[in-house]
Amino acid sequence: MYVQQLEPVAGSLGLSALVATLPLVTVLVLLGGVRLKAHLAGLIGLLTAVLVAWLAFRMPLGQTLSSAAQGAAFGLFPIMWIVVNALWVYRMTVRTRHFDILRRSFGRLSGDPRIQALVVAFCFGALLEALAGFGAPVAICSVMLVALGFEPVKAAVVALVANTAPVAFGAMGAPVVTLAQVTELPLDTVASVVGRQTPLLALVVPLLLVWLVDGRRGLREAWVPALACGFAFAVGQFVASNYVSAQLADIGAALLGAGALVAVPHARRPAAEPVRAAVLTGVRSDDLDEQDPPREVLRAYAPYALIVAIFSVAQIPVVKDWLAGATQTYDWPFLDVAGPDGDPMGGNVFTWPIVSTGGTLVLLAGVCTAVVLGVHARVAVREWAATVHELRFAILTVTSVLALAYVMNLSGQAATIGHFVAAAGAGLAFLSPVLGWFGVAVSGSDTSANALFGALQVSAARESGLSPELLAAANSSGGVLGKMISPQNLTIACAAVGLAGREGDLLRKVLPWSLGLLLVMCLIVVGQSTPVLEWMLP
């Protein structure tokens, strides 16, 4: 058995913590400073973590490599299993041109560009984040906005800022699932606390979007539908994350937000021509006025309806228990780790939810989608393989980052850093969202940031007397605000709207909003750590 040590370097907690940060510093410098590709930075960071665990923390090399393998396995299943299958569904809609029909349908919902921004970037973007995440909402929504007549820079900025509130529950809950796994906290508890933080962002972001689209006039004339949309989204996300399922949080919120938006009479009216002329300075797509048969419009919405239906059925207690019966639990080979107190670590056991995991349910929805859209089985298989090929570097990045996180957690590196950081005391509540924000800003992924810093937040919380669940959730909730300034997302946005090389221009436009919303989240977490807002926590 390997027993974790908190002060393995010269018997000093400070020196040990300094050495333990080397893998994180390596990744952050390579990504943010050297601008190395994310998958290469992840692999080099993993190698650094292995060397630190083996040489400095004296974890046997066999156990070190075994912990890395378990992290990589978790990165593949369930995390990338969800992403691959979700993007496969999207690729099939593009191949059959039903995605174009969906885009035209959104354009006809309202003639007001401010409402179109809310429908496309906030509501549909949240649905895409729920299904896939990892940059897909920014790429797809910015292209749709440009096709609707938005100027490319404005379209990219709106898509980036909108991609905040749903991020913590994106990719069928991948960030919170990862957070629960690396912190060994119950998923329901972590999701519940996150669901009492990010909905507050949802109240603000739609108002911010109409401001970005049309300034003060937009806020003055469209604040009612924007507030209705944000409130409905917030309620949906809170209810689903606390009482239904973390995987359904963004799906339910996106549908409720869109429903509330359409229900407001003001949202259905076309905007005055001066507004349209001021906002829609780009070139509209030629096919926007094309009329689609109602049957094809229904088929365009079918993939998303199928996913919602399948996930909803999977939450019925009888069905949920039946699906959970297929879950396999294994003693992970060559791994026997105990914490500093001598208690066995949860990493010694690996749980494989074969059928009940979100990725498998999305796969089932994908098969049904192929049938509904008339995609031949051979073509569907080719599209799935093409999706894997398209995501090959993302798969390598996520598996290497998860492997790094597992090595740091099981070797005791995260615990050592946590004990050292705990000296911040009550100030830790304010800094906790900042750490998540920084992690996402560099890595581009709330899942990766939770894997990197989740265990550290919990360890520091326990040492400082704060709630581990609160700081773990704060890491994810603060992280969502770093998404809009991450180099990966900026590059995706620029490439999608034909602004390659202008990432700096976008960064200057979205950075103030990212920092402002981060300050709001820090104050929320500080309040929740004191009697002022402690009543908000479960």
Side-chain angles (χ1 to χ4, degrees):
M1 177 182 287
Y2 167 71
V3 179
Q4 294 178 350
Q5 302 176 60
L6 295 177
E7 302 175 355
V9 181
S12 167
L13 181 62
L15 284 176
S16 299
L18 185 63
V19 172
T21 60
L22 286 177
L24 297 176
V25 171
T26 299
V27 173
L28 299 180
V29 169
L30 290 177
L31 279 174
V34 182
R35 296 189 180 279
L36 198 63
K37 297 289 186 182
H39 64 281
L40 295 176
L43 289 171
I44 295 172
L46 171 59
L47 176 61
T48 306
V50 168
L51 292 175
V52 169
W54 178 35
L55 300 176
F57 281 72
R58 303 180 184 88
M59 186 180 195
L61 183 59
Q63 296 213 48
T64 302
L65 296 177
S66 181
S67 61
Q70 185 180 158
F74 181 72
L76 287 173
F77 193 99
I79 303 304
M80 291 310 298
W81 180 238
I82 297 170
V83 178
V84 166
N85 290 322
L87 285 181
W88 172 54
V89 173
Y90 164 69
R91 284 180 66 101
M92 286 192 290
T93 66
V94 172
R95 184 180 182 91
T96 60
R97 299 189 179 278
H98 284 90
F99 181 74
D100 293 332
I101 296 173
L102 188 68
R103 174 171 54 83
R104 289 193 288 269
S105 175
F106 285 165
R108 287 190 289 269
L109 283 176
S110 174
D112 189 330
R114 298 164 299 195
I115 305 303
Q116 290 174 347
L118 293 176
V119 171
V120 173
F122 189 70
C123 297
F124 187 59
L127 187 60
L128 291 173
E129 182 67 36
L131 303 180
F134 292 90
V138 170
I140 295 168
C141 292
S142 54
V143 168
M144 291 179 74
L145 289 173
V146 169
L148 290 170
F150 280 71
E151 190 268 331
V153 171
K154 184 172 288 186
V157 170
V158 168
L160 285 166
V161 174
N163 191 219
T164 48
V167 168
F169 296 101
M172 293 301 174
V176 290
V177 169
T178 301
L179 186 61
Q181 183 78 10
V182 300
T183 59
E184 299 184 14
L185 295 173
L187 173 59
D188 290 344
T189 303
V190 172
S192 178
V193 179
V194 174
R196 295 162 191 248
Q197 295 171 342
T198 55
L200 298 175
L201 293 176
L203 296 173
V204 178
V205 171
L207 296 169
L208 178 55
L209 292 180
V210 296
W211 170 280
L212 289 171
V213 171
D214 195 29
R216 291 182 180 177
R217 178 177 57 189
L219 194 59
R220 185 175 64 250
E221 296 180 0
W223 70 269
V224 173
L227 192 60
C229 176
F231 181 77
F233 186 100
V235 170
Q237 195 177 62
F238 166 75
V239 172
S241 61
N242 277 268
Y243 305 110
V244 184
S245 165
Q247 287 85 350
L248 289 175
D250 280 347
I251 294 176
L255 295 177
L256 280 176
L261 190 58
V262 173
V264 176
H266 174 75
R268 301 286 305 196
R269 295 198 298 267
E273 194 54 40
V275 174
R276 293 183 56 81
V279 175
L280 300 181
T281 55
V283 179
R284 293 174 78 244
S285 178
D286 293 336
D287 68 348
L288 283 179
D289 296 324
E290 183 178 330
Q291 294 298 315
D292 300 300
R295 179 172 178 271
E296 294 305 311
V297 174
L298 288 175
R299 292 175 73 190
Y301 281 92
Y304 309 101
L306 283 167
I307 290 175
V308 173
I310 289 173
F311 269 84
S312 299
V313 170
Q315 298 307 312
I316 298 173
V318 176
V319 178
K320 189 174 184 178
D321 293 341
W322 179 74
L323 293 174
T327 298
Q328 302 291 317
T329 302
Y330 305 96
D331 289 327
W332 192 259
F334 311 113
L335 199 60
D336 189 8
V337 180
D341 55 4
D343 293 334
M345 298 289 289
N348 298 330
V349 176
F350 184 75
T351 302
W352 189 21
I354 303 171
V355 182
S356 60
T357 188
T360 303
L361 297 177
V362 176
L363 178 66
L364 175 60
V367 172
C368 296
T369 295
V371 174
V372 171
L373 299 185
V375 180
H376 192 278
R378 184 171 58 252
V379 175
V381 171
R382 276 206 305 267
E383 287 294 329
W384 192 90
T387 304
V388 174
H389 183 265
E390 179 185 339
L391 291 173
R392 62 193 184 282
F393 293 121
I395 292 171
L396 188 55
T397 300
V398 170
T399 52
S400 60
V401 168
L402 264 296
L404 179 155
Y406 268 59
V407 170
M408 290 191 65
N409 294 343
L410 291 174
S411 67
Q413 296 174 56
T416 295
I417 298 172
H419 278 70
F420 183 75
V421 171
L428 190 59
F430 185 87
L431 296 175
S432 186
V434 178
L435 191 59
W437 173 85
F438 185 68
V440 176
V442 172
S443 70
S445 165
D446 201 34
T447 300
S448 296
N450 286 344
L452 288 172
F453 299 131
L456 187 158
Q457 298 265 24
V458 168
S459 179
R462 286 174 175 152
E463 286 302 306
S464 60
L466 295 171
S467 164
E469 293 81 7
L470 174 62
L471 294 202
N475 191 83
S476 194
S477 299
V480 308
L481 301 170
K483 188 93 168 180
M484 70 177 82
I485 63 168
S486 70
Q488 292 91 323
N489 251 23
L490 291 170
T491 301
I492 288 170
C494 284
V497 298
L499 296 174
R502 293 185 59 183
E503 288 85 356
D505 294 341
L506 286 187
L507 177 61
R508 284 190 290 274
K509 289 182 178 295
V510 299
L511 181 59
W513 302 112
S514 177
L515 293 174
L517 291 173
L518 174 63
L519 177 60
V520 172
M521 182 55 65
C522 289
L523 295 176
I524 290 171
V525 174
V526 169
Q528 291 178 334
S529 70
T530 67
V532 177
L533 294 180
E534 191 178 23
W535 54 269
M536 293 180 63
L537 300 179

